[in-house]
Amino acid sequence: MWLLYSLSLLLLLLLFTLTDLSYSIAINTSIDYLKLPLLHRTPFTSPSQALSFDIRRLSLLHHHHQRLSFKSPVISGASSGSGQYFVSLRLGSPPQTLLLVADTGSDLVWVKCSACKNCSNYVPGSAFLARHSSTFSPIHCFNSLCQFVPQPRPNPCNHSRLHSPCRYEYLYGDGSKTSGFFSRETTTLNTSTGREKRLKSLAFGCGFRISGPSLTGASFKGAHGVMGLGRAPISFSSQLGRRFGNKFSYCLMDYTLSPAPTSYLMIGGIQNNAVSKKRILKFTPLQVNPQAPTFYYIGIKSVSVDGVKLPINSSVWSIDELGNGGTIIDSGTTLTFITEPAYREILRAFKRQIKLPSAAELTPGFDLCVNVSGVSRPTMPRMSFELDGDSVFSPPSMNYFVETADRVKCLAIQPVNADGDFSVIGNLMQQGYLLEFDRDKSRLGFSRRGCAIP
C-alpha cells in the first residue's frame, strides 16, 4: 500500500528471530487454515476516477520503495474500479467488527481507534473502542517490537520510562497520516470448519489520529484501517503464517457476473484443503528485492498477444542492482501498470490485432477504446505473460478490457513512465485466479481451476 517507513534490512532480518509476535492459538491442531470475510466497496463513479486513485496509489507505492533504499467471502465491484477489498475482522473482547483494506503492498495492521469515555457522540461502527475491550494492551517502549514501527518526531518513545507506551506515526506521500499506539489485541476468526476461534496477541497500530485524502477520501470510504499482507514480520500474514504453513491465498471472482459471486481469502495452504486435488497450481518464484522487502515480486520473461511474442527487451522486467524495476503483485491497485517500453509494444500489438472500430471518443486516461455496438460477444486478442519457472499467466480479455461507457471497452493497462519504477499486476488482472503466496518456498502459485470451490 502506501505506508512509508524506513527499516534497515538488518533489523528486518533480526525481527524474524523474535518471538514477540507469536500467537497463542486456541484451536485444534487438525485445523489447517483460517477463513476471513472479504467485502468489496465501490466508491468511484467512473473508471477514470478509479484510474486517478490508482495513479495516486502507484505514486505512493513507488515512493514507499524509494524510502525503503482464512477462507472468506469476497464480493467484487471492480466494474467501477474501486480496487479496495475489505477484510471483516473482529477485534477485542467482546469482539468489535471492523473492515480493513486487504493489502499485499504493505505490512502494518492498523485500525481507527476512539478514546471516547461516555461515547455520547460516537458513531457506532466507525472506530475500534479500545476502552471497551478487556484484552487491549499497548506495547511498551522497552519491548523490542517498538523499534520496528516508525515513531513520531520530535517525541519518540522514551525507553527510560518503564510504562511509556510505544507510539507510531505513518506518513503518506500525499500528506496523509495515521498515528497512535502500537498495541496487542485478541482477534476472533472463523476456521475451515466454520467455528469461531479466538487468537491472542495480534500486534497492530491503534490509530487515534487519521488525516489526509488517502485515508479519508472516497478510496477509503467505509474502511476502518489496513490489513498489511506484505512480507515483513509485522504483517498479518506473517503473524499468523508461521502457525499455518506460512502461506495465504485468495481468489477474486469475475466482477461481471450477477449476482455478485463469492471468493475467499485463506490463511494457510490450500493443499491441506479437502478439495485441493481439483486445484492444479502453476508456480513462479517470488523474487526478493532488498530495497523493497515488503513487496511480492515476480519475474516476467516475455509477453505475447495472440501467440505472437512481442519484441520487448528482457532487461525492462529486471530488478537492477539499486533495487529499481521489476514487477509486483498488488491487491490494492485495480488496473495493471507496465513499464513504458513494454507498454508501448503491448499497445501497438493490440491496436494491430483488434478488428473492432475505435470508439468515437477515448475515455479520459485510456489509450485504446473500441466500440462493441452490435457485437453480442466481442472477441479481443489474448495476452500472455511468460514467467520465471516456465509458467504462463494467460488471463482472459475481461481482465484487461473494461467497459468504460455503454458499448465501449478500453484497455485497462497503463504505462509506468518514470525510469526505475516497477510494474504492477493489479487486482483486475488477477480476477478469476486462485493465487497462493507460499513464503517458505518463496513462490506464487496460480490456477484458473477450482477458484469458486469453497
Side-chain angles (χ1 to χ4, degrees):
M1 167 107 167
W2 342 290
L3 307 178
L4 306 179
Y5 57 95
S6 182
L7 299 175
S8 72
L9 181 60
L10 177 60
L11 291 178
L12 185 65
L13 292 174
L14 285 174
L15 184 56
F16 277 105
T17 66
L18 299 176
T19 60
D20 296 302
L21 288 177
S22 62
Y23 262 85
S24 172
I25 304 180
I27 60 178
N28 189 290
T29 55
S30 64
I31 295 172
D32 302 307
Y33 57 95
L34 300 175
K35 57 182 180 181
L36 300 115
L38 283 174
L39 306 173
H40 195 284
R41 297 292 174 87
T42 57
F44 300 127
T45 59
S46 70
S48 294
Q49 189 183 17
L51 174 59
S52 177
F53 161 74
D54 271 352
I55 291 174
R56 185 171 71 247
R57 173 180 169 81
L58 194 67
S59 175
L60 296 173
L61 283 170
H62 286 145
H63 189 55
H64 175 32
H65 165 242
Q66 293 163 3
R67 284 284 301 275
L68 287 170
S69 328
F70 313 151
K71 169 180 162 186
S72 334
V74 177
I75 303 170
S76 173
S79 56
S80 65
S82 75
Q84 300 294 346
Y85 287 88
F86 293 168
V87 179
S88 180
L89 184 69
R90 302 177 68 194
L91 194 65
S93 302
Q96 302 175 40
T97 300
L98 303 165
L99 290 179
L100 308 185
V101 176
D103 186 23
T104 59
S106 68
D107 296 314
L108 182 70
V109 181
W110 67 268
V111 303
K112 296 178 182 178
C113 286
S114 175
C116 68
K117 295 182 180 179
N118 58 23
C119 299
S120 58
N121 297 320
Y122 172 73
V123 178
S126 62
F128 175 66
L129 297 175
R131 292 179 182 270
H132 289 204
S133 173
S134 62
T135 50
F136 175 80
S137 175
I139 292 173
H140 297 289
C141 276
F142 59 76
N143 190 300
S144 57
L145 290 177
C146 190
Q147 63 183 307
F148 299 107
V149 292
Q151 298 172 15
R153 297 289 187 266
N155 298 310
C157 279
N158 184 347
H159 293 271
S160 64
R161 295 179 58 188
L162 183 63
H163 298 293
S164 178
C166 178
R167 298 178 184 271
Y168 81 95
E169 183 176 84
Y170 263 53
L171 299 175
Y172 298 79
D174 65 348
S176 298
K177 180 171 68 174
T178 169
S179 60
F181 298 112
F182 196 46
S183 311
R184 294 184 188 274
E185 188 52 282
T186 295
T187 61
T188 303
L189 303 173
N190 292 327
T191 68
S192 56
T193 62
R195 294 177 296 178
E196 289 187 345
K197 296 297 176 182
R198 292 167 64 79
L199 312 184
K200 299 178 181 179
S201 299
L202 174 70
F204 74 106
C206 191
F208 290 102
R209 292 180 177 85
I210 312 295
S211 63
S214 291
L215 306 183
T216 61
S219 64
F220 213 71
K221 185 178 180 181
H224 302 108
V226 173
M227 177 181 285
L229 294 169
R231 304 179 81 166
I234 59 174
S235 76
F236 188 82
S237 53
S238 294
Q239 292 189 55
L240 273 71
R242 287 189 290 275
R243 166 60 179 82
F244 296 95
N246 215 14
K247 299 177 184 179
F248 72 94
S249 62
Y250 59 76
C251 179
L252 309 178
M253 295 297 290
D254 180 4
Y255 69 86
T256 63
L257 300 178
S258 182
T262 299
S263 299
Y264 298 93
L265 169 70
M266 290 187 275
I267 305 297
I270 63 170
Q271 78 279 4
N272 296 325
N273 194 327
V275 296
S276 62
K277 292 183 179 180
K278 298 182 180 180
R279 296 165 161 163
I280 302 174
L281 297 181
K282 299 177 182 178
F283 293 97
T284 187
L286 287 170
Q287 299 179 343
V288 176
N289 183 352
Q291 302 303 317
T294 291
F295 302 138
Y296 295 97
Y297 283 86
I298 60 171
I300 296 177
K301 297 170 68 174
S302 66
V303 180
S304 299
V305 174
D306 270 356
V308 178
K309 184 176 178 179
L310 304 185
I312 300 172
N313 192 314
S314 60
S315 64
V316 306
W317 306 114
S318 301
I319 303 173
D320 66 22
E321 63 278 2
L322 299 177
N324 299 315
T327 303
I328 70 169
I329 296 285
D330 182 34
S331 65
T333 303
T334 303
L335 307 184
T336 287
F337 290 78
I338 298 293
T339 184
E340 203 273 338
Y343 172 79
R344 254 196 336 261
E345 293 297 335
I346 292 171
L347 181 63
R348 183 179 296 118
F350 275 117
K351 286 182 174 179
R352 184 171 56 247
Q353 296 287 350
I354 289 178
K355 309 303 179 184
L356 296 166
S358 299
E361 294 182 3
L362 286 174
T363 300
F366 294 85
D367 295 327
L368 174 60
C369 298
V370 295
N371 188 334
V372 296
S373 297
V375 183
S376 58
R377 293 185 178 180
T379 301
M380 301 294 184
R382 189 68 175 262
M383 180 172 59
S384 298
F385 297 88
E386 183 187 3
L387 306 178
D388 287 349
D390 296 324
S391 59
V392 177
F393 178 60
S394 185
S397 62
M398 69 179 69
N399 286 27
Y400 44 89
F401 274 95
V402 295
E403 189 168 304
T404 60
D406 185 37
R407 309 306 294 169
V408 172
K409 287 184 177 290
C410 295
L411 180 64
I413 301 175
Q414 296 290 315
V416 178
N417 296 312
D419 290 339
D421 283 346
F422 49 76
S423 300
V424 179
I425 304 297
N427 62 44
L428 181 61
M429 191 72 79
Q430 302 170 37
Q431 293 261 355
Y433 277 88
L434 179 70
L435 299 178
E436 181 187 74
F437 296 77
D438 186 337
R439 291 140 59 90
D440 280 346
K441 295 183 179 179
S442 194
R443 65 182 186 177
L444 175 70
F446 59 95
S447 175
R448 288 277 292 173
R449 297 183 58 187
C451 198
I453 298 175

